[in-house]
Amino acid sequence: MTSHYFENALVKLHYYKFGNGPQSMLCFHGYGMHGKQFLLLEPALGSKYTFFGFDLFFHKETKLTDQSLEAVKARITKKQFAALIEEFCAYEHIDRFSVIGYSMGTHYVTAVVEELGSRVDEYIVAAPSSIYPGKLIEFFSKYKLGNKLLEKLVLSEKALINMLNLCKWLGFIDDVGRNILYKEIDTPELRFNLYASFIYLRLFETDEAQLIKTLTEYNIRSIFIFGKRDKMYPPSIGKAFFAKFKQAEIVILDEHHELINKNFVSALSGLLL
């Protein structure tokens, strides 16, 4: 594995390269994770793929050129993000590629497929919040009242902890989800990153009709992976979507939300090899 940077007017993007296969796989991690989240795939799939694991916006070493509150509120569009990916691919001499994302990362991969579907071979999403992010995330990211409330909350560690406990009590998240988020709010910088991660991607809402049209038109292999015991994004969130998109390959693992593990690798490599 090697560490790299790609820089343009928008961002200094940090990423890892691992594997040495002829096919390219762009990797988009979950909230609070980093570009090495899919490194587990290298032993099984590294001879088929070269993986590019990004540190996503407001995570680890990736930094926006302007990371002010005003810039975060200005947000980024899918087309702007697609342009960034096109620049990156030109820099790395990538023509066609596959994409894989987990949880928050599925919003990134879905935006890429919607905008650049003619270049995509495989679309792999695990704990796909892009299908249905949930009422809590929609409230904080899409609506002005939610935006303002979250902005106030990030100024107070105690308030955020109380909010997490309330969300757990209401059943919006389980113990696993609560603990993941709790680890991400213990400093002012991390609280800002939490806010920014909700707000910056507001315009990444999945266009379901466009996604299905693109997947179908370009015959993109589509794999959806769920954790049977995942209370945040259980298999049931895909019921309406899969009724419209029959070509989906659906995998349900006996896992909680944190499902990027050996079972995940075994199931995915069994499909891809």
Side-chain angles (χ1 to χ4, degrees):
M1 181 183 69
T2 54
S3 174
H4 307 267
Y5 287 94
F6 168 73
E7 192 167 0
N8 72 357
L10 175 68
V11 65
K12 185 175 183 180
L13 180 68
H14 180 250
Y15 63 102
Y16 298 94
K17 288 177 69 172
F18 47 97
N20 57 6
Q23 299 181 42
S24 297
M25 178 86 76
L26 309 185
C27 307
F28 301 82
H29 63 75
Y31 179 76
M33 307 300 174
H34 47 67
K36 293 186 285 187
Q37 184 171 35
F38 291 100
L39 184 59
L40 283 171
L41 295 175
E42 183 181 26
L45 294 171
S47 61
K48 180 176 181 178
Y49 299 96
T50 296
F51 295 93
F52 299 84
F54 305 107
D55 286 347
L56 299 180
F57 299 132
F58 316 109
H59 286 75
K60 302 301 179 182
E61 301 303 316
T62 289
K63 303 293 180 185
L64 296 178
T65 303
D66 181 0
Q67 200 147 303
S68 66
L69 184 61
E70 291 73 23
V72 169
K73 288 181 177 180
R75 303 174 173 90
I76 186 174
T77 66
K78 295 178 187 178
K79 289 189 181 299
Q80 288 173 314
F81 184 67
L84 169 64
I85 295 301
E86 285 187 303
E87 285 187 55
F88 172 81
C89 287
Y91 176 77
E92 280 285 356
H93 308 290
I94 297 169
D95 180 18
R96 300 192 60 81
F97 54 86
S98 296
V99 290
I100 186 170
Y102 163 69
S103 195
M104 179 193 75
T106 64
H107 295 273
Y108 287 86
V109 300
T110 300
V112 170
V113 169
E114 286 183 25
E115 298 294 331
L116 302 174
S118 63
R119 299 180 64 174
V120 177
D121 293 319
E122 294 156 325
Y123 169 68
I124 304 165
V125 286
S129 61
S130 53
I131 292 180
Y132 176 63
K135 293 180 180 179
L136 182 66
I137 290 178
E138 285 186 339
F139 173 67
F140 282 130
S141 63
K142 288 178 60 177
Y143 301 105
K144 288 185 177 180
L145 176 60
N147 293 176
K148 286 291 184 184
L149 178 58
L150 186 61
E151 186 177 343
K152 296 292 185 183
L153 284 172
V154 298
L155 300 178
S156 167
E157 179 182 6
K158 184 177 180 180
L160 269 182
I161 291 173
N162 289 339
M163 183 193 74
L164 285 179
N165 291 336
L166 176 62
C167 290
K168 177 188 168 186
W169 183 76
L170 291 172
F172 291 138
I173 56 177
D174 59 8
D175 279 332
V176 175
R178 189 261 184 204
N179 292 337
I180 291 172
L181 292 173
Y182 179 77
K183 295 174 184 176
E184 302 302 323
I185 61 173
D186 61 353
T187 70
E189 180 182 7
L190 287 174
R191 291 196 292 276
F192 174 82
N193 290 344
L194 173 65
Y195 170 79
S197 294
F198 272 92
I199 300 304
Y200 198 59
L201 300 183
R202 182 182 70 84
L203 301 178
F204 275 41
E205 183 178 6
T206 298
D207 183 336
E208 186 177 276
Q210 179 61 39
L211 176 62
I212 292 174
K213 178 178 181 292
T214 301
L215 293 174
T216 304
E217 180 179 350
Y218 295 109
N219 196 29
I220 300 170
R221 187 178 185 186
S222 305
I223 301 172
F224 297 77
I225 304 175
F226 296 90
K228 182 169 66 175
R229 291 173 284 138
D230 184 353
K231 292 188 177 180
M232 296 177 69
Y233 303 110
S236 59
I237 67 170
K239 184 177 181 180
F241 180 83
F242 297 135
K244 302 172 188 174
F245 182 59
K246 304 294 187 181
Q247 296 96 315
E249 297 177 53
I250 303 165
V251 178
I252 301 176
L253 302 177
D254 187 16
E255 300 290 345
H256 292 287
H257 184 63
E258 290 187 327
L259 51 75
I260 309 302
N261 55 29
K262 290 181 179 180
N263 288 339
F264 175 86
V265 173
S266 176
L268 186 58
S269 61
L271 291 172
L272 297 179
L273 293 177

